[in-house]
Amino acid sequence: IIMLIYQHETTHREKNGEEFFSRRELEKGIIKGKIDAAKNDAVGKDFWRNNEHFADLFNAVLFGGEQIIKPENLEEMDTDVSGVIMADDYKLSLGRFRDVVKKNFDGIELVVLGLELQEHIHYGMPLRTMIYDSLGYLKEFEGVRKWNKQNGVKAVNADEFLSGIKKDDRFHPIINIILYYGEKEWDGPTSLQDMMVDIPEHFSQLFADYHINLVQMLDSGKLLFHNNDVRMLFDVVSNIYRNNIDYIYSKYDGTRVDKDLLWMIGKITENKDMIELSEIKEGESVDMCDAWKKFYEKARQEGFKTGNEDGIRSATIDSIIFMIRYGIPKKDLLTKFTEEEYNEALSKMKTM
C-alpha cells in the first residue's frame, strides 16, 4: 500500500469565500488571527526523534512496557498535517505541525504514530487532537483521490465516482500520545465527553466519544521504561518538581549523562545551571549533579557582596535559606557552611 499525503496550495488568496495561507503563515500559526498553531511549548524534539526514545515512550504508555514497537520499524514522517475544512461555499485552511510523527511498519502495513509535547494544561485538548487527527485522515483521503485520478483508476459505479475513492481503498490509523511536561498535575479533560454538558442517559451511549493518550512527567513511577535516557528524564524531572533533591543526589551523583539529555532536563525545569553545564563541546558527557553543586556555590558567592562582618553573616544566612528552599539537602550544605550557620538559617526561616 502506498501512502500519499495531500499537500494543498501554498499561496494566499481570498476569492469567493476561499482562503488559502502560505506555508510561512501556517508555520507562524496566523490564520485570520484566531488560530495559534505556534509550538512555543515544544521542548527537545530531537530527543524524541531518536527511534530508541520514541519507541520506549510509546511502549511504556500504550503497552505497559511490552516491546511491541521496535525502533528499527520506525520511519520519520512529515509533521505537516495542515488541511482545509469546507462548509458550503466557505473554505478554511488550518495550519498544524505535529511535534514528532513516525510510521511504524508491521509487516506490509503501517500505523502513524504522533507525539505532541505540551507544556501547559489545555482545556480543549481532546477536541484539538481530534481535529488534527481528522486533518490527517483528510489529507490521506485527498491523496488517494488524487492518485486514483492521476493513474486512471476508474470508478465502477456512481458511488465510487462521487466518492473519488474505490470501495476497497483503505487508510492508515493515527495514534497519538500527548506528553505533558508541566509541573502541575493535569486537571484538564482526557476525552471529548469530559468537555460536554451532562448527557441525558438515553443519549450517553450513542455519543461518539474521543479519548486522548495523555502521559505526564509526574507519572514517572507508574511507567515501565527500558531506555535509560527516557527513564532518567522522567525520574529526574518528576523529582525536581517534587523537590526530592536528596533522592536525585543519592541516585545520580557521579552518574555521567549525555549533555543533550541534561540540556532538556534543564530546559523543562528552567534550571539555567543545567543548561549552562550542558553547553560543553560536542560528544562529552557530564555529571548531572554538578549543576546543583554549581548552583549553590554560585548562591554562596552571591552572599558575600557586602563588605562588613554583619553584612557577610546576613548574606550567608540568606544564601542558606535560599538553597534550603530550592531543595539542596542538609548534608551538602554542611560541606560549605557550618552547623551553626545552618541552624541559624532554620531559625530565621521560622520567623519569616
Side-chain angles (χ1 to χ4, degrees):
I1 294 179
I2 300 176
M3 186 176 185
L4 299 171
I5 303 295
Y6 168 67
Q7 299 290 345
H8 61 74
E9 296 182 51
T10 57
T11 59
H12 179 200
R13 69 176 185 271
E14 294 186 10
K15 183 180 180 181
N16 297 327
E18 297 184 356
E19 296 180 12
F20 290 92
F21 294 82
S22 69
R23 179 171 297 276
R24 176 175 294 180
E25 288 172 313
L26 292 175
E27 289 175 346
K28 290 181 178 178
I30 303 174
I31 300 177
K32 295 180 75 65
K34 296 181 179 180
I35 299 176
D36 180 12
K39 289 302 294 180
N40 293 325
D41 58 350
V43 172
K45 292 182 184 179
D46 286 342
F47 179 87
W48 295 112
R49 288 194 179 105
N50 178 291
N51 283 356
E52 300 283 345
H53 299 159
F54 189 92
D56 198 45
L57 176 66
F58 272 75
N59 285 327
V61 175
L62 302 180
F63 306 112
E66 187 177 353
Q67 301 299 283
I68 301 297
I69 299 172
K70 309 294 185 183
E72 60 271 21
N73 293 338
L74 293 173
E75 182 178 318
E76 196 86 7
M77 284 185 67
D78 183 7
T79 60
D80 182 4
V81 292
S82 306
V84 179
I85 293 179
M86 302 176 60
D88 297 327
D89 60 348
Y90 182 77
K91 292 184 179 180
L92 175 64
S93 296
L94 294 178
R96 176 60 174 170
F97 293 81
R98 296 280 196 192
D99 289 323
V100 184
V101 182
K102 292 183 181 289
K103 294 181 285 190
N104 179 69
F105 290 92
D106 186 3
I108 62 172
E109 296 297 347
L110 65 88
V111 174
V112 179
L113 303 175
L115 176 62
E116 290 291 315
L117 304 175
Q118 189 70 23
E119 180 181 6
H120 301 288
I121 297 170
H122 194 304
Y123 295 111
M125 185 58 72
L127 177 60
R128 192 177 81 168
T129 307
M130 183 179 71
I131 291 173
Y132 297 141
D133 280 354
S134 299
L135 288 174
Y137 291 125
L138 176 62
K139 287 182 67 172
E140 187 175 7
F141 172 81
E142 294 289 355
V144 171
R145 288 208 309 180
K146 184 177 180 179
W147 189 89
N148 286 345
K149 183 177 180 179
Q150 291 177 343
N151 289 273
V153 177
K154 301 296 183 181
V156 300
N157 55 42
D159 296 329
E160 287 191 349
F161 178 79
L162 292 173
S163 301
I165 62 174
K166 304 287 289 181
K167 179 180 178 180
D168 56 357
D169 281 335
R170 294 294 181 267
F171 305 99
H172 299 87
I174 300 172
I175 299 173
N176 298 296
I177 286 178
I178 312 299
L179 173 54
Y180 166 63
Y181 57 88
E183 186 171 1
K184 297 190 300 182
E185 287 278 356
W186 181 273
D187 64 357
T190 57
S191 71
L192 192 61
Q193 185 165 345
D194 290 343
M195 299 176 61
M196 300 293 111
V197 298
D198 291 337
I199 303 176
E201 183 179 352
H202 295 298
F203 296 95
S204 60
Q205 298 200 5
L206 302 174
F207 177 71
D209 203 1
Y210 177 90
H211 294 265
I212 60 174
N213 299 307
L214 177 82
V215 60
Q216 307 182 62
M217 281 289 178
L218 292 174
D219 289 337
S220 176
K222 305 174 185 177
L223 299 167
L224 176 60
F225 295 116
H226 295 276
N227 182 274
N228 288 333
D229 287 347
V230 177
R231 184 190 303 114
M232 185 181 294
L233 173 66
F234 271 75
D235 192 33
V236 173
V237 170
S238 63
N239 279 286
I240 289 176
Y241 283 161
R242 296 186 176 100
N243 290 319
N244 293 333
I245 309 303
D246 274 320
Y247 168 85
I248 297 174
Y249 262 100
S250 63
K251 185 171 182 177
Y252 294 108
D253 193 16
T255 300
R256 308 295 295 182
V257 299
D258 183 83
K259 68 182 186 66
D260 291 334
L261 175 58
L262 186 66
W263 177 89
M264 188 158 69
I265 293 173
K267 193 72 173 177
I268 290 174
T269 60
E270 299 181 347
N271 185 306
K272 293 181 180 179
D273 293 298
M274 280 192 172
I275 295 174
E276 290 176 3
L277 189 62
S278 71
E279 294 173 348
I280 59 177
K281 61 183 179 180
E282 188 173 356
E284 288 192 18
S285 61
V286 294
D287 186 331
M288 183 170 60
C289 290
D290 279 350
W292 296 98
K293 294 172 184 175
K294 178 182 176 184
F295 171 82
Y296 71 69
E297 179 62 26
K298 182 192 296 183
R300 181 172 182 264
Q301 294 301 320
E302 287 293 319
F304 290 94
K305 287 184 176 179
T306 57
N308 59 66
E309 186 174 339
D310 290 339
I312 292 174
R313 179 73 175 187
S314 177
T316 299
I317 300 306
D318 288 343
S319 296
I320 296 173
I321 292 173
F322 176 70
M323 289 182 277
I324 290 174
R325 287 175 172 169
Y326 198 81
I328 303 300
K330 178 181 178 180
K331 65 181 180 64
D332 289 303
L333 289 175
L334 292 182
T335 65
K336 302 291 183 181
F337 306 99
T338 66
E339 182 88 32
E340 180 184 357
E341 289 170 333
Y342 180 82
N343 291 332
E344 184 177 340
L346 289 180
S347 298
K348 186 174 180 180
M349 287 177 67
K350 293 178 182 177
T351 64
M352 297 174 70

